[in-house]
Amino acid sequence: MSGEEIIGLVLAWMVMLVGLAGSALPVLPGPPLVLAAVVGHRLWFGEHSVGNLVLVLLVGLTFLSLLLDYAAAMLGAKRLGATWRGMAGAVVGALVGLFFGPVGILVGPFLGAVLFELAGGRKLREAGRAGGGAFLGFLVGVVGKVGCCTAMIVLFTVNVILRS
């Protein structure tokens, strides 16, 4: 590996780490950011970057992670009785929770879903169940996105090193 390739790999990893963090933070597009780093590396280094098959696999993992995230949030909330208000509240709660650090990110979707369900006229018990579903769906989605991003980073790294 040349010095330029090592610097390119490190820069790609830095962007990928931001993408990995974005898997847990609702504001950053985690998996698409990891994919953008891969595509940028491929455009710059050509044949010394990832191969075509790996690139297709990484695109597939990106779509899988986005689908997993959406499905987990919807199913978690729906399974425990959330209405559209609860799901919207979970999203708003996650965004507001960003301002309160890691605890806010974890508690925000739950509180948002509960408050929106209560505002829609549901009883506290029903709203609490909906909030619990939104929270569980959020956690499952985060775990899925982190897993996909980690797999993408490892696959990229191994492939680039083998091709250099």
Side-chain angles (χ1 to χ4, degrees), residues 61-82:
L61 279 171
T62 300
F63 284 117
L64 175 67
S65 71
L66 296 174
L67 178 68
L68 244 171
D69 185 40
Y70 176 75
M74 295 296 286
L75 289 174
K78 273 289 189 202
R79 196 113 163 108
L80 292 178

Side-chain angles (χ1 to χ4, degrees), residues 34 40 42 47 59-60 78 90 96-97 118 120 129:
V34 172
R42 170 71 186 259
E47 68 183 42
V59 169
K78 273 289 189 202
V96 171
L118 288 172
R129 283 180 49 97

Side-chain angles (χ1 to χ4, degrees), residues 80 110 113-114 117-118 123-134:
L80 292 178
F110 172 79
V114 170
E117 290 287 355
L118 288 172
K123 295 188 187 315
L124 182 59
R125 183 174 172 88
E126 294 170 330
R129 283 180 49 97

Side-chain angles (χ1 to χ4, degrees), residues 81-93:
T83 64
W84 67 270
R85 285 182 190 88
M87 290 183 269
V91 170
V92 171

Side-chain angles (χ1 to χ4, degrees), residues 126-159:
E126 294 170 330
R129 283 180 49 97
F135 176 73
L136 289 175
F138 173 76
L139 284 182
V140 169
V142 166
V143 168
K145 285 192 299 186
V146 167
C148 283
C149 281
T150 302
M152 291 170 70
I153 292 168
V154 168
L155 188 57
F156 165 79
T157 301
V158 168
N159 194 248

Side-chain angles (χ1 to χ4, degrees), residues 48-63:
H48 296 287
S49 186
V50 295
N52 291 334
L53 177 61
V54 172
L55 189 57
V56 168
L57 287 172
L58 294 175
V59 169
L61 279 171
T62 300
F63 284 117

